[in-house]
Amino acid sequence: MVFLAACKKDLDKYPLTTVSDETFWNTENDLIVYNNVFYDYAKSNAMRLLNGNHEGATRDGQYSLDGMTDNDVRSFSFSPNHVRIRAGQITPDTNPISFGWNNTCFNFVRAINIGLANYDRADIDQSIIDKYKAEARLFRGWMVADKVSLYGDYPWIEKELNIDSEELFDERTPRDVVMAKVLEDLNFACEFLPDDWGDGGAPGRLNRWSALLIKSRICLFEGTWRKYHGVGSDANMWLEAAAAAAKELIDNGPYKLYSTGDAAHDYNAIFQMSDLTGVDEVMYWRRYEQGVIQNSWQIYYYMATVSKDMVEDYLCTDGLPITLSSSYQGDEVYEDIWVNRDPRMRQSVLHPDDVGYYDYFAFPANGIGVPNLLGMSGTATTITGYHQVKHVNQEQNLNFHDGFTPCVILRFGEALLNYAEARAELGVLTQADLDLSINKLRDRVGMVHMDLGNIPVDPRYTSDGVSPLIAEIRRERRVELFGEGFRYDDIRRWKQGAKFRHKDYGMRWDEANRNRFDPNGVVSLQYEVVPGTGVEYIAPNKGGDFENPVFEEKHYLWPIPVSARSQNPNVGQNPGWE
Amino acid sequence: MIFLRCVKRDAHSFLYRFMLIMKITVFFIMVLLLQAVAETKAQKITLRVHGATLQEVMTKIQRQQGHSFFFLGEQIAKTLVDAKVEQADLAEAMEVVLAEKGLDWYMEDKTIVIKRSGNQRLSVQDIKSTEVSQQHRVSGRVTDEQGAPLEGVTVRVVGGQTTVVTDLNGRYSIDVSDENGKLAYSIVGFESIELPIDGESIIDVSMKASVSYMDEVVVVGYGTQKKVNLTGAIGVAGSERLENRTITSAGQGLQGVVPGLNITFNSGDPNQAADFNIRGFESINGGAPLILVDGVPMDVEKINPNDIKSVSVLKDASSAAIYGARAAFGVILVETKKGLAGKTRINFSTQTTLQKAIFPGYEPVRDGGTARQIQNEANKITTGRELLPQPVIDAALAYQELENPTVDDAWMYYEGFLYPLENTYMKDLALRDFAPQQQYDFSISGASERASYYVSAGMINKDGFFRYGNEKYKRYNVLSKIDFQVNDWLALDNKIAFSSVLNNLPHNYGDQWYYQSIAKHFYSPHTFPDLTYYIEPGDHDKWAPYIGMGLDNRNPLPYLKNGGRDLGTDNDIWLTQGITITPLKGLKIRGDFSYRYFWSEDERVASQVDVLRGFNGFEMVDDIVYKGQSANDWIESGFAKNTYYVFNTFAEYVRDDLGDHYFKVLAGFNQEYGMNHGVVTRSTQLLSPLIPSLSATTGTRTNSDSKNEVMLRGVFYRLNYVYKDKYLFEANGRYDGTSRFPSESRFGFFPSVSVGWRVSEEPFMDGTSTWLDNLKIRASYGQLGNQNVGSYYPYISSMSPGTSTFLLAGGGNLTNFIAPGGLVSNTLTWESVSSQNIGVDFTVKNKLDVEFDYFIRDTRDMLMEKSYPGTLGAAAPSENAADLRNKGWELSVTWRDKVSSDWSYRINLSLSDYQTEITKYNNPTGAIGDYYVGKKVGEIWGYKTEGLFQTTEELENAADQSRLGSNWRLGDVHYADLDNNGEITTGTNTLDDTGDRIRIGNTTPRYAFGINPSVKYKNFRLDVFAQGILKRDLYPSRGNFLRFWPFKSLSMEQWWIDDSWSPENPNAYFPLKQFAYSDNKNTFEQTRYLQNAAYMRLKNVTLSYDIPVKFASNAQVYLNGTNLFVISGTYKTLDPEYSSDLVPRYMFQKSFTLGLRVTL
């Protein structure tokens, strides 16, 4: 026994392949490899930060987020989460979707907080340390803001907790308090992040310009949310911050819209490139490489099918909506829909003549036509009749999960829209502001300018409760950012949930079109007369569980899952979900 | 006792320390040895006898002193004597023994001669010469049935006085006066026999072991124990339970044999190790018994079952405490065979088996067209859309009516796709009906005076069920054991155990084909057909190149044939050297050192496969050929090397010569150290599938390694005391340390005590002695620890390096990162287990043996991750915070009888039960998904089912089910609104508010039984073994797409079509047919689909025949059937024995075996 006790130390065995906290945190390299883990967290589908394109069989990537909205109609079997949310069928009993209330987010925050508590131990210049602090705080602010947008009040945690921490059983932190903290984080990031990390940006680390864009996005969300939902205070402060951040980026940043002078193709070109290194509109992106990490976007692109509502929202080339423009050709003839329309439409919704250009079916010689509807040949069929083409990368019609199409995560174009909208919401928008922002986007595609003195009044939007100018700026945002995952948040912050109560329809499917496109009756889609039109359109969800979407007041915020509430009842529940 | 300064920590690790320990041990042994030598010179006699015959007394003296003896006069041997001597020399002892008997003694030629006082002294020579002249001398050798010599057999002239005892080699020599008389042979543990002399002068005798369990010796920790003296709960299985069985591993053979030893399997895969469990639920963190083979922790599943001599299952703390911190949940001791004295035995056995995979309830769809139609409707209900175009379905409906369809009739081109109209039964295409298995075993064993040896080699060769690219499993075992008796006091033994397992499997693309092979997608084509034309007449040549190629995704065949192979080799070597010293009578000192070297190589190749595009039909496009799921071909090569060192030393001292007292003391030391090291390299893009090499790749390479070490050290003791063979006492204990815990809480002391009372030996039980051979009551209490919790370093938080697929830079480099460490508790220590056992054993008329045990096992301080709000930001650290209590009982009944010399039979029944309840757990909100105080482990919570909605009225009046799902229709499940709040909910999912859910069942297997009758008639023997569970509930997992919830995928079988609700079939079992992959609304745990998983399975039937042949001492042929049938309460498509009810990758098998065994 004596012998055993004396030699206790023999039984000291330590991990052989890991690093200990005591010996870490010395050099800048330590801080770099530590902060690298944030990028790994941020790519998780638990949050909407850097999750990029679908990897493997998951379909929760950024380009699929419009599936939750009236932009894009999806098949339940491929995107069950999106379809459920679109239909308002989420419940507190289960976590609604992978990027909902998720413990990975708290793990991420803990990793950030541990970093913030230890960076100062490194024996290097404070200015260097601050860069990494700023990077960490940018992630924290961004992640938390994403959750606040979905849950309202949200736990704000700024130190590492342990099992005896009382904070564990706190109520959620009120939105006002959290967002003030978020703003501090974003401000710190916008001050101390370098303009350029000198890492070649491929895609590299998030820099100060990215922080400014993220800040403008978050502040715009918060400002409009407070304004339209009538909660919190200082809506204007947030809108001003949004405008200021965007303005600094516009004025001083090294980015500009991608343009080669090819108005017919420049708008969607950045979504079709296999390498975005050095593309000056793209501020941040997710890289994939064949054989290392691939994604399945290019095998699933066809699952994104554009809705009738979206197609009808594109202006005509005269700057007027289809309800007002004399140049609108109607939708009796399928090809006419694109005639005299905003050129961005033809770069978002596949025109029959563009099948070859985009190599859309990857095998044009086979003669598959557009529209290719469910029941017809091939797997790339739509359930609306409108194929989405914005993100199709013709270089990569590869197999299964074999694609390496990058995902555009932050682009300069958004800054222009954020700026215009924030200024408009503040009521201080000038023609100069428009020319600096929205009209740049329109110039690229050859659209007429938006003219402050001549804003059309689309009868469809007069009941939205906002001025025609705001309505048009919102349309511009929907059109420009189509398919990039903004619509769901935009509708909620504008408190326009009514738009999600409409059924989704597809192309006109009257007798003429049925005879033309489906003489043998192979199409297995239902159709019905759309109220108010007297005409039949494809009704993709007809007869199924998701035919009549619901969006009630409570749907502006998501429910706290039962599991989280049973762990901490103080976390409460959002209104309407009790 | 041992006094060594601690070795410097930086010393050369284990080896250096080991050498030091060896030195100490040698020193220790030498000291004892010197004492022993001193003692032998003056062996003292101790006697305590009352009313014994002089014959018996002198036999005892001979045992202690060594001198043989002789009586001058026939009646002298029967003289009754009393004697009590302690540590006396011979003269003193004889004085006492012969006092006042009128007898005298003298020593002559090392023989004690006893005569009547006053009679003449005769010299031994004289005695011999005078007697020989009138007497006949018989000599011979007494052996057991196996031919091993029996020492100490009493040979007696029937009706006479002369008695002799056999020597070490079983030899005897006795003088008889009547050549036509009889000799009687007797020894404890064997059936006494009488043989006529018939004038023979040499009579060799083979004695048959008596079947009485009372004489059985049982292997216990660091030694053996007579079964009658056991006080703990120990179950035993002998080699006969493992021989002549169609088993590839010991686990298969032991299932259901020992009550309280629960063995379960997840699949029929020969690589799938059995899950061993003793006495039920161990800990919320799992746990397993410690399994030792010849004293070292080997993988019992990899040794050859034919090499096993016996298996002891130490169930309670008193039996297991000697193994301390690893024995919390019992110990299984496996002893391998040794060479036995007698002539060399050569044993050869072989068996050939045909195996048939068991697909419970498999029933392919009958009418393809109808099934397609049903499937479309089912899909429409959920999605509003069709799966197959209606014209294809119409054509399939027409096709199923055709009398003599041609190949061309069976296919239809429609809108870009070539659809099959016939059905595809992938199970038949991909799987064979029978898979063969061969087994060969060869062994040579024997012993000479000084050495014994057992050498065996075995091989198993088992094929899988695929028709193409089949799985191959091979295992080779070699065991070599040599014991060498160097001299009277020193013996050496060594052992080499080697096993090699080879696996060669088709590469696994996500288990796809295993599932696909069964029932899924009857409508998907598998092979491109050879048609007259495809789309339009004349295009045959265009498509001809694709004939015979397979469709992607729903067809396993191309992947099986060409998708690469996964190869694995595990080599395991154990080397043991032992030394045993017996310096003086009763003292044994043993030391052994074992070294394990385990080396595995795994190579997995996913190679590119050419398949055809399509889904429900072939997609008739120009680039129809593509890579399918094999797109990213890669090769992965992994090497692992595990080394393990075990050092044991112990000393045992027995005193059985103290009359009414019997002592045995054992003390020892054990140290173990293990190091595991593995490296895996993976590279993408093979240059050619023909060169599966890392070097022949062009893609990115990734490497990783793992390395960890673990060490244990302990001292242990055991003390046995028996008084008057009636009162039994035993104490065990161990002081144990492990590297897994922080140094403050690293060591623990684990004591136990047990007592036994052999009631049948009491005088007041004399009246029952004619029929009650044994009645014993036992009780034990002990504490054990469980060190096997969490990882190798559960108390150290470490920042672990990793790589991310978020590529921060180009060039194919993954992003390296260091992740923050997790939360750990630095007070982490053992889970402690205290166990109480009370048992009774009795034997009636040597025919009925009954053993019964009742136990309570408390597992305390279980590590648990308390449930914390997610805001903690990390997995909660494990803390010693939870307790549970496991209670149960075991019953073993054996009845055996010999009806006549031709007929005998035996039946063995085992029955056991346990239930587990959580007694301490931190779950303040009472969340029912988690453990809570009072929870019976295994509870299933669910809804009560009213039925299926049969009328619109019922549907409209039912409680709101929208929390569970939307769009409720006729034929969907109607849940009961138990809390009458008009809504079906889970409430807050806590005990306070369980909503509409209740406890609907429990998955704990209750009343596990095994029943094993065997009948012997002349040379025939029939063994039957059935095993099962009498009470258990099971809820089919929601992931069980294929065997229970087909509507969750698109697979279909006829039973689902026939047994699903429709207005015409309102009494169907399953709800309205619908396909909804993620929709669970009808599958929530509920009473309707709760399964009664009680079962009985006929595990084994063996009929064997002993062939009477001259050249062999034993030859036997046998026929064996395994898993012949099962009776169960589950739905017909489920197998109650799968411990997970998902479809296993490798099905259970029914098998038929022909075997031959020859012993020369």
Side-chain angles (χ1 to χ4, degrees), chain A residues 220-455:
Chain A
L220 179 63
F221 186 99
E222 195 58 20
T224 46
W225 181 278
R226 290 177 188 220
K227 181 171 174 182
Y228 291 104
H229 290 258
V231 295
S233 52
D234 295 338
N236 281 0
M237 180 278 281
W238 289 95
L239 292 170
E240 279 158 11
K247 189 71 170 28
E248 187 184 352
L249 169 59
I250 294 166
D251 289 349
N252 303 320
Y255 305 99
K256 65 178 195 317
L257 294 180
Y258 176 84
S259 179
T260 63
D262 180 1
H265 298 113
D266 281 348
Y267 162 67
N268 67 8
I270 58 171
F271 299 100
Q272 300 176 5
M273 298 176 179
S274 294
D275 189 344
L276 292 169
T277 312
V279 176
D280 46 15
E281 180 175 353
V282 179
M283 298 173 58
Y284 203 74
W285 52 293
R286 177 88 197 274
R287 174 190 279 277
Y288 294 87
E289 291 211 5
Q290 198 163 26
V292 182
I293 170 71
Q294 288 117 320
N295 62 65
S296 51
W297 178 248
Q298 292 307 325
I299 196 72
Y300 291 133
Y301 66 83
Y302 62 85
M303 298 184 325
T305 59
V306 190
S307 69
K308 169 176 180 283
D309 189 77
M310 180 71 219
V311 167
E312 292 180 349
D313 226 13
Y314 286 93
L315 294 173
C316 292
T317 40
D318 55 11
L320 295 175
I322 60 168
T323 46
L324 302 176
S325 173
S326 56
S327 62
Y328 180 56
Q329 303 291 305
D331 58 8
E332 286 85 352
V333 179
Y334 186 67
E335 292 81 357
D336 286 353
I337 301 168
W338 285 266
V339 174
N340 298 331
R341 303 292 292 280
D342 184 331
R344 284 173 288 192
M345 176 166 152
R346 189 159 166 172
Q347 296 175 59
S348 301
V349 186
L350 180 67
H351 188 284
D353 293 346
D354 291 342
V355 171
Y357 177 81
Y358 292 110
D359 194 16
Y360 186 84
F361 295 105
F363 26 81
N366 202 43
I368 293 176
V370 167
N372 191 39
L373 292 150
L374 190 72
M376 293 177 167
S377 304
T379 45
T381 53
T382 86
I383 56 174
T384 62
Y386 299 121
H387 298 262
Q388 203 208 101
V389 79
K390 182 169 173 179
H391 303 109
V392 172
N393 180 352
Q394 61 266 53
E395 290 174 15
Q396 288 193 39
N397 259 309
L398 298 168
N399 296 315
F400 225 54
H401 306 311
D402 212 10
F404 50 99
T405 303
C407 180
V408 175
I409 288 169
L410 300 173
R411 71 174 171 108
F412 182 64
E414 184 201 345
L416 304 179
L417 291 161
N418 291 351
Y419 178 69
E421 186 182 339
R423 296 281 290 173
E425 292 286 359
L426 286 163
V428 296
L429 183 78
T430 63
Q431 185 62 41
D433 290 335
L434 278 179
D435 293 343
L436 181 75
S437 57
I438 286 174
N439 287 335
K440 286 241 163 65
L441 295 167
R442 291 194 173 192
D443 282 342
R444 165 160 70 176
V445 296
M447 266 292 280
V448 296
H449 280 193
M450 187 185 280
D451 179 357
L452 208 48
N454 190 19
I455 298 294

Side-chain angles (χ1 to χ4, degrees), chain A residues 1-21 24-25 33-34 36-37 39-41 43 50 55 74-77 80 84 89 91-93 103 106-108 110-111 114 155 157 160-163 167-169 202-205 284-294 362-363 365-366 368 374-379 383 399-402 409 520-522 524-526 540-546 562 566-569 577-578, chain B residues 2 4 6-7 9 17 21 380-386 389 414-417 613 615 619-623 626-629 631-632 669 673 675 684-685 700 705-715 735 737-739 743-744 746-747 793 795-801 803-812 814-823 867-874 876-877 879 925 927 962-963 966-967 969 986-990 1076 1078-1079 1081:
Chain A
M1 298 251 183
V2 176
F3 168 58
L4 287 176
C7 285
K8 259 184 183 175
K9 289 287 168 200
D10 283 356
L11 296 178
D12 282 339
K13 300 289 175 214
Y14 297 104
L16 300 166
T17 54
T18 57
V19 181
S20 118
D21 182 71
F24 195 67
W25 308 110
V33 290
Y34 188 79
N36 283 353
V37 82
Y39 292 86
D40 193 59
Y41 273 111
K43 78 176 173 61
L50 307 178
E55 287 157 37
R74 298 200 158 225
S75 134
F76 176 75
S77 53
R84 280 221 178 84
Q89 295 181 2
T91 73
D93 296 79
N103 288 350
F106 300 116
N107 298 357
F108 186 20
R110 174 175 177 266
I114 289 174
I157 304 156
E160 184 190 1
L161 301 184
N162 210 322
I163 51 173
E167 291 92 329
L168 292 177
F169 298 96
R205 313 185 83 83
Y284 203 74
W285 52 293
R286 177 88 197 274
R287 174 190 279 277
Y288 294 87
E289 291 211 5
Q290 198 163 26
V292 182
I293 170 71
Q294 288 117 320
F363 26 81
N366 202 43
I368 293 176
L374 190 72
M376 293 177 167
S377 304
T379 45
I383 56 174
N399 296 315
F400 225 54
H401 306 311
D402 212 10
I409 288 169
N520 301 322
V522 302
S524 56
L525 290 160
Q526 315 264 339
N541 293 316
K542 188 175 180 182
D545 287 353
F546 309 103
V562 169
S566 67
Q567 285 165 332
N568 175 16
W577 293 109
E578 291 92 350
Chain B
I2 296 176
L4 170 79
C6 195
V7 181
R9 268 217 74 235
R17 291 197 296 276
I21 291 162
K380 254 187 187 165
I381 283 179
T382 317
T383 65
R385 291 190 281 277
E386 293 169 330
Y414 183 76
E415 291 289 325
F417 282 87
R613 287 181 199 271
F615 210 52
E619 192 167 356
M620 303 295 277
V621 291
D622 285 348
D623 60 346
Y626 79 134
K627 295 183 282 178
Q629 297 175 59
N632 314 318
F669 170 80
Y673 169 83
M675 163 74 103
T684 57
Q685 291 172 25
T700 314
D705 69 345
S706 63
K707 204 187 246 187
N708 43 55
E709 48 181 352
V710 67
M711 188 164 169
L712 297 154
R713 181 181 287 172
V715 284
Y735 184 68
T738 172
S739 63
S743 53
E744 309 77 56
R746 179 172 289 160
F747 276 85
Y793 313 101
Y795 69 100
I796 297 171
S797 168
S798 52
M799 304 178 71
S800 41
T803 54
S804 175
T805 52
F806 192 99
L807 308 179
L808 280 171
L814 294 171
T815 304
N816 294 308
F817 62 74
I818 298 277
L823 292 170
S867 174
Y868 292 99
T871 45
L872 182 59
E879 300 165 74
T925 57
S962 65
R963 290 270 199 136
S966 34
N967 299 74
R969 299 180 182 85
T986 57
T988 56
N989 208 26
T990 61
S1078 338
D1079 194 349
K1081 70 181 175 188

Side-chain angles (χ1 to χ4, degrees), chain B residues 179-252:
Chain B
E179 285 186 30
N180 296 315
K182 282 184 171 181
L183 287 178
Y185 301 80
S186 61
I187 186 172
V188 170
F190 289 81
E191 287 177 6
S192 298
I193 45 176
E194 286 184 11
L195 291 173
I197 298 166
D198 284 344
E200 296 282 343
S201 58
I202 294 175
I203 300 179
D204 288 343
V205 180
S206 164
M207 292 185 75
K208 203 173 168 196
S210 78
V211 284
S212 167
Y213 277 19
M214 296 174 61
D215 301 317
E216 217 178 286
V217 169
V218 174
V219 176
V220 297
Y222 300 101
T224 57
Q225 184 93 285
K226 268 174 86 173
K227 188 155 184 171
V228 282
N229 288 341
L230 286 181
T231 48
I234 298 182
V236 181
S239 59
E240 75 280 0
R241 303 304 290 261
L242 300 168
E243 286 164 353
N244 293 5
R245 295 273 309 268
T246 307
I247 50 174
T248 49
S249 69
Q252 290 171 12

Side-chain angles (χ1 to χ4, degrees), chain A residues 446-473:
Chain A
M447 266 292 280
V448 296
H449 280 193
M450 187 185 280
D451 179 357
L452 208 48
N454 190 19
I455 298 294
V457 182
D458 190 332
R460 291 176 301 181
Y461 299 135
T462 48
S463 61
D464 283 359
V466 295
S467 68
L469 172 64
I470 299 275
E472 285 309 310
I473 284 176

Side-chain angles (χ1 to χ4, degrees), chain B residues 237-285:
Chain B
S239 59
E240 75 280 0
R241 303 304 290 261
L242 300 168
E243 286 164 353
N244 293 5
R245 295 273 309 268
T246 307
I247 50 174
T248 49
S249 69
Q252 290 171 12
L254 291 170
Q255 192 181 26
V257 169
V258 178
L261 173 63
N262 309 305
I263 296 174
T264 46
F265 295 90
N266 282 318
S267 79
D269 187 342
N271 291 296
Q272 169 84 52
D275 178 42
F276 285 81
N277 161 285
I278 294 176
R279 291 190 155 174
F281 195 82
E282 293 128 339
S283 153
I284 56 174
N285 302 306

